[in-house]
């Protein structure tokens, strides 16, 4: 869980940098930030199995998004790829949260 939250925080920080330094991408970055902040809040209140496939998929997607968004801050030409990676991470996090909510 610590690594997932750490990578999620890196993604959030990188998106904040993009929003502040690349005005043409700020609106899209802010929309993604809203979703990530909510998911981070939801994750903080739950416990789950780091060995589960849902956790592993979310971790992989968030790690990938973190790297791509960090690169985006330096190379605005990669916005489509970075934002797609964040959207994939959001989807994987939603699946993880949904799976946790349905486990007794």
């Amino acid at each position: 869980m610590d690594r997932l939250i750490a990578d999620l925080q890196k993604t959030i920080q990188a998106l904040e940098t993009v929003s502040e330094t690349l005005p043409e991408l700020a609106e899209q970055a802010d929309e993604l930030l809203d979703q990530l902040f909510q998911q981070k809040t939801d994750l903080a209140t739950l416990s789950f199995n780091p060995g589960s496939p849902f956790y592993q998929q979310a971790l992989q997607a968030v790690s990938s998004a973190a790297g791509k968004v960090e690169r985006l801050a330096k190379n605005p030409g990669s916005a489509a790829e970075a934002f797609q990676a964040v959207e994939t991470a959001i989807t994987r996090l939603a699946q993880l949260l949904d799976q946790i909510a349905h486990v007794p």
Side-chain angles (χ1 to χ4, degrees):
M1 172 85 151
D2 291 337
R3 181 161 173 229
L4 179 62
I5 296 297
D7 285 350
L8 183 54
Q9 186 59 39
K10 282 199 301 193
T11 305
I12 288 170
Q13 289 172 332
L15 276 172
E16 287 173 334
T17 299
V18 167
S19 179
E20 293 166 4
T21 61
L22 301 170
E24 68 277 14
L25 301 176
E27 185 177 337
Q28 192 170 5
D30 289 345
E31 289 174 14
L32 295 170
L33 277 167
D34 287 343
Q35 294 177 63
L36 290 175
F37 276 125
Q38 183 59 54
Q39 288 179 320
K40 183 180 175 189
T41 301
D42 293 345
L43 284 170
T45 63
L46 300 171
S47 61
F48 44 86
N49 177 6
S52 81
F54 289 101
Y55 177 89
Q56 292 300 318
Q57 290 171 0
L59 177 60
Q60 182 180 15
V62 171
S63 295
S64 175
K68 289 179 181 182
V69 176
E70 286 175 336
R71 286 190 294 278
L72 172 61
K74 298 173 187 136
N75 176 16
S78 63
E81 179 184 358
F83 288 154
Q84 180 59 49
V86 174
E87 289 171 4
T88 299
I90 288 169
T91 298
R92 295 288 186 248
L93 287 166
Q95 290 170 337
L96 174 63
L97 289 165
D98 187 55
Q99 187 266 337
I100 294 168
H102 291 95
V103 171

